[in-house]
Amino acid sequence: MSDKHENDSFKEEKGIHTDFIEKMTYGDYLQLDTLLASQKRLSNHHDEMLFIIIHQVSELWLKLIIHETKAAIEAIKQDDLQSSFKMLARVSKTQTQIIQAWDVLSTLTPAEYMEFRDKLGNASGFQSYQYRLVEFVLGYKTHFILDIYKKDPELHAILEEAYHAPGLYDVAIQALARNGFDIDKNILDRDFSETYSKDDSVEKAWLEVYKNVEDNWELYQLAEKLVDVEDSFQQWRFRHMKTVERIIGHKIGTGGSSGVGYLKKVLDHYFFPELWDIRTKI
């Protein structure tokens, strides 16, 4: 399209605003000056920009996942399961974005990464507090992780609160109990700062839900939304592990973790174990 054609098309749009001296612009609303000035390379290497942007974008998606999951938890507490379904569906769709981000990062070769890896010092994605908040709201609690954030009392307090609060699966189990299913009192009254371990009464309840879908339609939908979230989270973990293996092999991570070894271990963890176990028994 020629410049003249573009100019003519623009002139035909009579209602387009062009005077923003005293009005808010798109850039103002999104605070783009701040956002786009936040990619500060510590080296002169071309590919460090990719590394920074991928991680910053992923943090933004994690923020949305936390926002939607916490809202879903509150909706389930109020027995507003329909609202929670929309929020959890949005979580699953958001997870596809951070899964695909690994495909972009994997264009970074080992030789390219080594050109600026030493500039990271001990900074590592292992220290992402938003990733830990995602784990906490999904019910995976690890106390030693809190030590990483002691230097920031405000942030530590946010994580501490989430650490002791019921996670998404806890409120789903409570919903089962409110709907007449016989859930072990020790599960309902458990210490939420401990990672959930599977329970026979919970498995029995979910099995009943799946065997009598029409009588338990909303709980069945809730269960499937939880499976969607966990399935996507495991895909994200797997792509993370394979991308790290592709770029640094089995080197120790910059944050001191075993790198690929650590990432392989967490692949074996399930947030909602009974929902996977019952698939064999239905």
Side-chain angles (χ1 to χ4, degrees):
M1 183 183 292
S2 69
D3 290 344
K4 182 180 182 303
H5 192 177
E6 287 187 30
N7 289 334
D8 290 343
S9 297
F10 185 78
K11 288 176 183 177
E12 290 174 3
E13 297 293 329
K14 304 295 186 183
I16 292 179
H17 296 284
T18 57
D19 181 4
F20 287 97
I21 293 175
E22 296 181 356
K23 297 176 184 177
M24 179 177 68
T25 66
Y26 170 82
D28 295 333
Y29 176 66
L30 295 178
Q31 300 183 55
L32 290 182
D33 285 349
T34 301
L35 184 64
L36 298 179
S38 298
Q39 295 73 48
K40 302 183 187 302
R41 288 183 293 167
L42 298 180
S43 74
N44 291 321
H45 197 273
H46 172 83
D47 296 300
E48 189 182 356
M49 183 64 75
L50 163 68
F51 191 81
I52 293 171
I53 288 176
I54 283 292
H55 287 85
Q56 288 182 340
V57 169
S58 294
E59 289 292 335
L60 287 173
W61 285 130
L62 288 174
K63 184 172 184 176
L64 182 58
I65 289 172
I66 295 163
H67 176 73
E68 297 294 342
T69 306
K70 289 174 74 173
I73 287 172
E74 292 306 312
I76 295 168
K77 285 180 179 179
Q78 300 300 319
D79 290 317
D80 183 8
L81 297 188
Q82 289 296 328
S83 292
S84 77
F85 299 157
K86 176 61 180 292
M87 296 158 187
L88 293 175
R90 185 173 290 162
V91 168
S92 296
K93 289 296 184 181
T94 304
Q95 288 174 304
T96 65
Q97 298 298 310
I98 60 174
I99 291 168
Q100 291 173 357
W102 295 120
D103 293 336
V104 182
L105 186 59
S106 66
T107 65
L108 181 69
T109 68
E112 290 165 347
Y113 181 49
M114 292 310 295
E115 290 291 329
F116 61 86
R117 186 179 191 240
D118 64 318
K119 299 294 185 182
L120 304 180
N122 294 128
S124 166
F126 185 84
Q127 297 144 16
S128 167
Y129 77 87
Q130 289 201 124
Y131 175 77
R132 298 307 169 186
L133 277 174
V134 170
E135 287 190 330
F136 286 1
V137 295
L138 293 181
Y140 183 52
K141 310 292 181 71
T142 44
H143 188 272
F144 78 93
I145 289 296
L146 293 174
D147 292 341
I148 296 172
Y149 310 100
K150 284 182 176 178
K151 66 175 288 184
D152 187 334
E154 184 177 350
L155 179 55
H156 189 269
I158 292 171
L159 286 157
E160 187 81 38
E161 181 181 2
Y163 179 75
H164 290 285
L168 179 60
Y169 198 44
D170 293 310
V171 297
I173 292 171
Q174 291 166 2
L176 285 171
R178 289 195 300 274
N179 280 272
F181 290 93
D182 185 17
I183 304 297
D184 190 326
K185 189 174 184 298
N186 291 327
I187 293 297
L188 297 173
D189 297 335
R190 75 186 193 85
D191 180 354
F192 297 122
S193 69
E194 296 181 0
T195 297
Y196 177 80
S197 296
K198 59 185 179 180
D199 174 80
D200 289 342
S201 68
V202 174
E203 180 176 302
K204 183 178 178 181
W206 284 126
L207 194 57
E208 181 67 21
V209 167
Y210 273 78
K211 286 184 175 180
N212 297 280
V213 172
E214 291 185 5
D215 294 335
N216 304 287
W217 179 244
E218 283 199 332
L219 290 171
Y220 171 73
Q221 286 182 288
L222 175 59
E224 284 299 291
K225 287 291 186 288
L226 295 178
V227 170
D228 288 343
V229 169
E230 175 140 40
D231 189 356
S232 294
F233 198 90
Q234 289 296 75
Q235 290 183 50
W236 183 88
R237 279 174 162 171
F238 179 77
R239 289 296 296 123
H240 184 188
M241 182 270 293
K242 294 305 293 184
T243 303
V244 170
E245 185 176 25
R246 174 174 178 155
I247 296 174
I248 68 167
H250 290 265
K251 293 185 181 74
I252 297 296
T254 51
S257 74
S258 58
V260 170
Y262 171 79
L263 296 173
K264 283 184 176 180
K265 288 177 186 176
V266 296
L267 281 173
D268 293 330
H269 174 261
Y270 285 90
F271 295 106
F272 321 129
E274 293 88 355
L275 292 178
W276 297 94
D277 289 347
I278 62 170
R279 280 159 158 72
T280 308
K281 302 177 181 180
I282 294 172

